[in-house]
Amino acid sequence: MVNPKLASEKKSMKMLNLSFRLPYFTQWGQNLLVCGSEPLLGSWNVKQGLALSPFFEGEQLIWSGKVSVPSGFKCEYSYYLVDDNRNVMRWEAGKKRKILLPDIIQDGEVVELRDLWQTAAEALFIRSAFKNVIFHNWNLHSEALPEAFQSNLDQEDSFIVQFKISCPRLENGNAVYVIGSSNSLGQWKLQDGVKLGYFAGESLWQADCLLKKSELPIKYPFCESNSWHGNLFPTHLYQLENFDMPWRGVGVAVPMFSVRSEDDIGVGEFLDLKLLVDLAVESGFHLVQLLPLNDTSVHGMWWDSYPYSSLSVFALHPLYLRVQALSENIPQAIKQEIMDAKGRLDGMAVDYEATLATKTSIAKKIFFLEKDVILTSSSFQEFFSENEEWLKPYAAFCFLRDFFETSDHSQWGRFSQFSKEKLEKLVSKDKVHYDNICFHYYIQFHLHQQLSEAAAYARKKRVVLKGDLPIGVDRNSVDTWVNPSLFRMNTATGAPPDYFDKNGQNWGFPTYNWEEMSKDNYAWWRARLTQMAKYFTAYRIDHILGFFRIWELPEHAITGLVGKFRPSIPLSQEELEKEGIWDFNRLSQPYIRKQMLQDKFGASWAVIASNFFNENENCYEFKDDCNTEKKIVSKLKVCTEKSLWLESEEKIRHDLFDLLQNIVLIRDPEDPRKFYPRFNLEDTLSFKDLDEHSKNVMKRLYYDYYFYRQESMWSQNALKTLPVLLNSSDMLACGEDLGLIPSCVHPVMQELGLIGLRIQRMPSELDLEFGIPSQYSYMTVCAPSCHDCSTMRAWWEEDAERRCRFYKTMMGSNDEPPSRCVPDIANFILRQHVEAPSMWAIFPLQDLLALKEEYTTRPAVEETINDPTNPKHYWRYRVHVTLETLLGDKEFKLKIKNLVKGSGRSYPSIEVVQEGIDIKESVNSKKMHVANGQGQTPRVQSNAASLMV
């Protein structure tokens, strides 16, 4: 039975026809749809979104669709590119579009939304690094929009157009206008144009305009009150492609531990960042970049100086604590202890163990004096409440690590397996060790306060603080203890052979179980990014290739050579058999012959053979107690016949590794019928002893595996995982894309708006020895060096022949180059980068110091931060000049300013337009550009939505 009241309400409800229209060129099998927050648009379920239909308007492909909606309808929505099964292939970047239909629209009217696809590059400037820091405008306030033209709606020849645009880069005091060819748009005169109102916090300007149908078609640009941008197309005012000189910035990079100040104790501290920010500001820089700041206290020794092996991806490192700031009531005896420690630890390099031990000892003394006050304070209670999900497991882990004297949680007895019940008992207030637990809470609370203070200072000074997101975690970490299912604990992470190391790299981290992580939409990753965003407005994704595929090694490996990509499509036994390959044991087991042993070990070969090999008809195989790299190292330590060897133990180990790696195929440990080509298999003696047919087959399959067959899989893998990171925070993301780069990487990074890295001596172009900064793309960070290679000065000195080639090809001189990187050379190289098209030029502080002779007295090799070829490298570099000295050095700061001056960096290039001047000819003469190359523009549209009634 029909309810008369409901039927009456339904009859009286005004219904409107909402029309979507988007120019977008697609390929066969691709479709567009609209998905939004309301059920009519799928409630964010793409499968239930509104499908659009294509048609041509001239040479332009337009996608459109209609849906009936009630008056006053409001929602958020986005466009999606899908396949025939509605699987998402691509989606718009940036914030969701918003629409609110006013009640004045008549029943049955058509409201047409004319949009343009929002690219990731366009969305960069609404990230927090720009919106909240660099372009943060303290004087902009929300403006009331003019009343709708309700009295004129009855005119049959009139309609309303709503103009909307995102302008995150608007200068203080400026306004946004629309001008155009019609009377309603001022006939190209700025003072007669339509002024847009501002929505605070959204970087959006919007205005309604009444137009007559007789005025169609119209042409229009968006303008600032003191400038125009000559773009007749309604894309972002600051769409990157539309400018001859887009915004470009400069930054400085230095590890936190490398900073030196007059107040620190042996190592850079979070509060020193305020001085570093001041130096950046006075040098005309917009960014300070750091290495990871997470706690790495795994081994309890200097190995923990490695900042990429996190004990916890949430906890900050106690190393960076300023103990003087823990309390305002520090007793004189402790103050004296602090002064003594400052003098004792003020060395040229970081003494990691002594510094951490000293700070921990002092912090404990202060903790016991004030714990009752701090732990009951409202600020601590708020911090604890917001962070207890990771803070409790972290404190419990640190307690158990110290109690059992190891971070290897498999050795913790009944605590080896984590559970929330055990955790709550461990951290309960009635435990005798509760003070030990609280001490870790206390340290993390103060670290949070100190870093937050520095981060707020940076934002106030309009300097971007850029953090670093490590690709891995230590296998003995809080994260692997609490969430073991998220990791493949029988594997290790690394990198295949590259510029850094011909044997590859083995970082030792367990690889990720992406399948398990996907079950809760990568909650662990989202939590990491949320935590980082408390302090940073930009971040670097370490080894971004790991989100496409990771170089996976067996846990028992030491080097990084004999690995495989995960995920990847293996060579199946059936595939190999079809190619005439059948002796799989011969190809997948170390190929060792008597002559090889004699060639490698000389007169000692018989002794080596008897200790490490079993013989079988002139063929040799490793004994079970030494058939992995870790077993070889262990056996060498206890071998009783060392005195009979003529070679050093290091040489014996190297040669044994070489024999162990002498294979052509790697058999999958989880499926013996699947195989992977060994990296650089043509270099092995095993390959060289194959027949010609087998050689040709293996070479072809090798190149197919490493360069062709995986590309689609890797691209899809990255498009599943990386957007989760990017959407987890508002930070600006950059990706470290060095090494063996699959062809799918750069298109995906461009698609997602990820900024890549360019190091001149490691060009991505195979035919170049040196990168050409003037040819870098805009979506890059360029630098002459980074923390993973030698500094600019050290590089100049380490290879005379390469130095000469650089001097000739890049500097245009046939003369003999100076043997040292003198300030003039440094200035030339740095200027190449500062004048590059890259969005960011970020210089290691060491490279900037090379501008002044006085700061180059230290041997260049001592300025290297990391040696990637050494897995046990001691990360201890300290700048030999204090920040206070650099801040007071007017000559040094002037050299940096002169470097940047005239380069077009730091400040946008804006043309001034005086009010009252007819700019029609100027606008019409500007080069036309359409977002996404979509032919001609529709006659009326706005960036977010055009409302036509």
Side-chain angles (χ1 to χ4, degrees), residues 367-368 370-384 391 429 434-443 445-446:
F367 165 73
F368 282 109
E370 62 167 21
K371 63 177 182 176
D372 295 335
V373 174
I374 295 297
L375 297 180
T376 57
S377 67
S378 58
S379 56
F380 174 82
Q381 293 297 326
E382 181 181 358
F383 166 77
F384 186 84
L391 188 58
K429 294 182 179 181
Y434 184 62
D435 277 351
N436 293 351
I437 296 291
C438 288
F439 175 68
H440 298 292
Y441 296 161
Y442 171 84
I443 293 297
F445 168 64
H446 279 289

Side-chain angles (χ1 to χ4, degrees), residues 63 130 228 376 453:
W63 288 82
F130 293 106
W228 67 279
T376 57
E453 180 181 334

Side-chain angles (χ1 to χ4, degrees), residues 265 319 341 344-345 350-360 874:
I265 299 179
L319 188 71
R344 184 176 71 256
L345 296 170
V350 177
D351 186 335
Y352 180 90
E353 291 177 273
T355 300
L356 183 58
T358 298
K359 288 193 171 190
T360 302
Y874 195 168

Side-chain angles (χ1 to χ4, degrees), residues 705-718:
Y705 176 84
Y706 280 99
F707 301 107
Y708 297 106
R709 73 195 289 165
Q710 322 290 350
E711 295 292 326
S712 177
M713 173 192 288
W714 291 345
S715 176
Q716 293 173 13
N717 198 51

Side-chain angles (χ1 to χ4, degrees), residues 38 102 138-139 177 211 239 287 324 366 472 817 836 925:
E38 293 300 307
W138 302 100
N139 298 324
Y177 288 80
L211 293 177
Q239 182 175 329
L287 182 145
Q324 304 95 302
I366 300 174
S925 66

Side-chain angles (χ1 to χ4, degrees), residues 23 42 95 123 135 162 259 399 453 487 489 525 533 545 603 661 703 804 928 938:
K95 291 188 174 181
F135 302 141
Q162 183 180 89
V259 170
F399 167 73
E453 180 181 334
F487 305 91
M489 298 299 291
W525 284 102
L545 303 185
Q661 297 161 353
Y703 284 101
C804 289
M928 297 296 104

Side-chain angles (χ1 to χ4, degrees), residues 217 381 658 778:
Q381 293 297 326
D658 192 38
Y778 179 70

Side-chain angles (χ1 to χ4, degrees), residues 499 737-739 741 746 757-772 776 802:
Y499 174 88
D737 53 347
L738 301 178
I741 308 295
H746 290 150
L757 176 62
R758 299 294 176 268
I759 303 296
Q760 188 171 23
R761 75 187 80 164
M762 293 178 278
S764 54
E765 300 86 356
L766 296 177
D767 58 336
L768 294 179
E769 182 178 14
F770 308 109
I772 304 173
Y776 292 159
R802 201 173 189 207

